[in-house]
Amino acid sequence: MTDPAVKRVVSDIVRSPEDKRVYRGLEFTNGLKAVLISDPTTDKSSAALDVQIGSLSDPANISGLAHFCEHMLFLGTEKYPKENEYSQFLSEHAGSSNAFTSGEHTNYYFDVSHEHLQGALDRFAQFFLCPLFDESCKDREVNAVDSEHEKNLMNDAWRLFQLEKATGNPNHPFSKFGTGNKLTLETRPSKDGIDIRQELLQFHSTYYSSNLMGLCVLGRESLDDLTSMVVKLFGEVENKNVPIPEFPENPFQEEHLRQFYSVVPIKDIRNLYVTFPIPDLQKYYKSNPGHYLGHLIGHEGPGSLLSELKAKGWVNTLVGGQKEGARGFMFFIINVDLTEEGLLHVEDIIFHMFQYIQKLRTEGPQEWVFEECKDLNKVAFRFKDKERPRGYTSKVAGLLHYYPLEEVLAAEYLLEDFRPDLIEMVLDKLRPEHVRVAVVSKSFEGQTDKTEEWYGTQYKQEAISEEVLKKWAKADLNSNFKLPMKNEFIPTSFEIYPLEQDAPPVPTLIKDTAMSKVWFKQDDKFFLPKACLNFEFFSRYLYADPLHCNMTYLLLRLLKDDLREYTYAARLAGMVYGVASGMNAILLSVKGYNDKQDILLKKIVEKMATFEIDEKRFDIIKEAYMRSLNNFRAEQPHQHAMYYLRLLMTEVAWTKDELREALDDVTLPRLKAFIPQLLSRLHIEALLHGNITKESALSMIQMLEDTLIEHAHTKPLLPSQLIRYREVQVPDGGWYVYQQRNEVHNNCGIEIYYQTDMQTTHDNMLLELFCQIISEPCFNTLRTKEQLGYIVFSGARRANGVQGLRFIIQSEKAPHYLESRVEAFLRTMEKSVEEMNEEAFQKHIQALAIRRLDKPKKLAAECAKYWGEIISQQYNFDRDNIEVAYLKTLTKENVMQFYRELLAIDAPKRHKVSVHVLSREMDSCPIVGEFPAQNDVNLAPAPSLPQPTLVQDMTEFKRSLPLFPLAKPHINFMAAKL
């Protein structure tokens, strides 16, 4: 098919051999580039459009305009003027959407149930053709941008990001403030007589040009149908022939180099950032010299830079490699965290960095290292997991600006040409005369003389002395530094085992003894050479008190720390492991290629059973843990609200304060004595899932048990010692409020929880359906219209077999005001469900069904579902099909009854718990209030609320209330074994 709107069709896009989807590339006459993906099996369709314009193109006097424009496009177009038309359409058809703005890109994407791609795409395309930028929307939405910035204000990552921009060339676009806030988007412009709506229209009509757009669409339709769909909608986008923004000059020029910055953080963190400006290496993607150097400098195996700095007791983690700048410039970074000792040796640490760089210069580029990276990439591309449509289209749309259509899927994996000259060229930039150094530490408080404009970060800038630079320039060879050894973990066997006869579609119990319960499922969907091994080690000691909780945490941190060198090669080869503590269990997982998984598993379990703790590492990691407990105070208000609610609702939960107080009691002898005690009695539950046979699954479990018995003399735990904590039961008509202050952020946070009942098929579906119905109206009312804050969320809360409806909001408004707005919103939902016609009601049922039946795209996702059933001990492996079948029998009357009985203000079985987190400026706040100013015609009236019970003491609160029983398993264990 030839269409005058299409200039070129590319049908031979290089794809992974395992990828069953078909692709077509299009270059439009108007300059837009597109990739179409036809996947007849997809449950959700998706599209994304990436405009190669971002905040670096903001007008000098209006910071944040590109980002504001991104927010505004969602709120109405000429063809679809209703401000929530797009989000409502998606919500009714199991869809979702989002967007992001970076320095050079604005990327918009959505997914939707596969039948409704056409309708969603039509609404989406209008963003780029005829947005309204409605005046009243603009005045409200500026608050969302301001709230988004407020959320980042006390976040160290954002503060450092902007400080780097502020300390380069002030005339370079890199120095701009990209988020924007009320000052830059409203107060200042109106003072200067600038009409922001005109500026938005101007920005959109100048820069939103088809020659800067990359589009990716994925659906069930054939490539020809997808082509005619996009040609019709996007062929009309105007080509304004905007030149691609280029920034040929690095923001760090001579006067910004050889500078040392001392920076005061919000959290108690200690980091060292070493940065070198380098040329843009993007065009060398087929030889990727930056990747080669990052691979070596950032290596964590024996003989690496990290190993040496760790052995000295100066750092724990290291990140090294190329960092994106923009078209025309890049950076090379080496970042480490610092121990207390490391902070005193910053010069020496950097000296070691230059020694390692010198080693690379002396040895010269090694072809075998390049070949190994190339092999790893080849294997990763060949056995790539299938992506989720929304993330995939968003990524591909962005890549279209950098790679030819033929290579867009493979480009990031392609390593074809070994170019020692380019490696040496980049190495030559990593010299002391080009360095910039920043050290972040609380110890600089009171010693700084500068304040960054947007975030108020305190810092001091000094030139690095000639003498230090000379010392670094003389960095010699250090005999402890060695190039990595050949990677033994690279998989060599990719054989897919044939499926066993009559293999059941869900996990089955293949071993059930006093010591272990083992579930097994051979992969019957993805057929890649991968497996997921999950283990849960129950012990009654882990969470017995704050002391044991701390010991468990430190033990696992030390174990991971010790295994870091050994497991790094496995990680590079696509095999990852994780170890974490649950409430009364240690969770261990090994995922990735199945070929050498048993070797890795054996090493981890042996290490666990014979672990010897190093005293120096113990002190360092204990100190880091202490800081992380203290740093919890600086988390976001809405995260605090969720934390306090969990403490209130769980039978046993240790607080950060209790853990902090008990940490002094953790000594090395105590921790050493704890290990054998912990391992003396265990119960293991496991799920082995993937490209493995039943025999190999059983032999892995046997190996694991034998190792524990041999080294730690492990015996089974008694069934009565398998303790699970239960959930507090709120009495009928009860409403409890708990208040706390956040000392760091100037925002309030609230979580309101309406506890409904235990998890059963019936209750699960009523709750989820109610959440589906209110989700979009909640966002539209409380964020878009009322602008309560950037973070506005409604959904189900589930814990320990019990569930309910929750609302989470972060806002500059007071918690009791938010409480009244949520109650007002809930009341409007009663009316809207009551008046909903059958067709609209069925749409919601359909949308939820599609969401629930959306197939996992990869083994790890399917495995996570089954593992969730196992660790919650519900074992409902066919939950999605069972629950959706039940969902389809629900009527509108069922939902109304659910609302009247459990959620209405006068509901007989209303169980409500609210957590109010006050902002740092608020001394106190009433727990409930009437707001007469709500007579505002646009606001739904708030019901008058009863007087809640204020929770003064958490322990008292829990003691006075009953607990729910635990959820019953959905499985007869005798039957499961057959």
Side-chain angles (χ1 to χ4, degrees), residues 634-654:
E635 297 297 345
Q636 299 275 345
H638 76 277
Q639 288 168 317
H640 279 181
M642 292 161 70
Y643 159 75
Y644 293 123
L645 186 71
R646 191 177 64 78
L647 293 181
L648 283 165
M649 301 315 297
T650 314
E651 174 186 0
V652 177
W654 309 122

Side-chain angles (χ1 to χ4, degrees), residues 489-686:
F489 277 106
I490 297 179
T492 47
S493 156
F494 302 110
E495 181 196 351
I496 304 295
Y497 297 109
L499 265 181
E500 297 184 6
Q501 285 297 303
D502 308 324
V506 296
T508 43
L509 197 54
I510 56 170
K511 180 173 185 176
D512 189 3
T513 63
M515 178 84 106
S516 61
K517 207 186 219 86
V518 182
W519 299 89
F520 166 75
K521 179 176 185 325
Q522 192 177 353
D523 169 42
D524 55 2
K525 294 189 183 62
F526 306 103
F527 302 110
L528 291 173
K530 300 182 181 184
C532 293
L533 318 175
N534 286 295
F535 306 90
E536 187 177 31
F537 299 93
F538 273 96
S539 157
R540 66 195 182 92
Y541 293 114
L542 299 180
Y543 208 72
D545 55 26
L547 171 69
H548 282 79
C549 188
N550 283 334
M551 291 201 292
T552 305
Y553 178 82
L554 287 172
L555 173 63
L556 299 184
R557 272 294 301 271
L558 285 157
L559 183 73
K560 280 191 278 203
D561 180 73
D562 191 279
L563 282 164
R564 195 168 193 137
E565 260 191 14
Y566 178 82
T567 56
Y568 186 71
R571 201 166 90 207
L572 288 177
M575 237 184 293
V576 291
Y577 88 101
V579 53
S581 55
M583 289 285 254
N584 274 312
I586 290 172
L587 301 163
L588 167 67
S589 64
V590 178
K591 299 186 174 71
Y593 301 116
N594 57 271
D595 184 27
K596 295 173 182 172
Q597 266 179 344
D598 53 334
I599 303 171
L600 181 60
L601 178 65
K602 188 170 167 55
K603 176 76 176 185
I604 296 166
V605 177
E606 271 175 0
K607 179 61 84 176
M608 238 165 85
T610 61
F611 193 34
E612 294 289 329
I613 300 170
D614 175 315
E615 184 167 2
K616 206 154 119 188
R617 300 308 300 161
F618 170 76
D619 292 335
I620 288 170
I621 281 174
K622 180 177 166 182
E623 190 272 338
Y625 176 46
M626 187 56 156
R627 280 184 294 133
S628 77
L629 288 174
N630 287 327
N631 285 337
F632 184 71
R633 60 186 276 279
E635 297 297 345
Q636 299 275 345
H638 76 277
Q639 288 168 317
H640 279 181
M642 292 161 70
Y643 159 75
Y644 293 123
L645 186 71
R646 191 177 64 78
L647 293 181
L648 283 165
M649 301 315 297
T650 314
E651 174 186 0
V652 177
W654 309 122
T655 68
K656 304 283 175 190
D657 294 340
E658 289 164 340
L659 294 170
R660 207 167 44 219
E661 279 158 29
L663 189 53
D664 284 346
D665 300 340
V666 182
T667 58
L668 187 57
R670 261 197 168 156
L671 189 57
K672 284 183 164 167
F674 171 61
I675 304 176
Q677 181 192 11
L678 161 71
L679 298 175
S680 64
R681 289 202 176 257
L682 290 176
H683 178 72
I684 303 162
E685 189 147 7

Side-chain angles (χ1 to χ4, degrees), residues 601-610 679 700-714:
L601 178 65
K602 188 170 167 55
K603 176 76 176 185
I604 296 166
V605 177
E606 271 175 0
K607 179 61 84 176
M608 238 165 85
T610 61
L679 298 175
M700 271 193 275
I701 283 289
Q702 198 55 53
M703 176 275 295
L704 184 143
E705 289 185 22
D706 291 346
T707 307
L708 286 168
I709 291 165
E710 179 190 345
H711 297 291
H713 312 299
T714 308

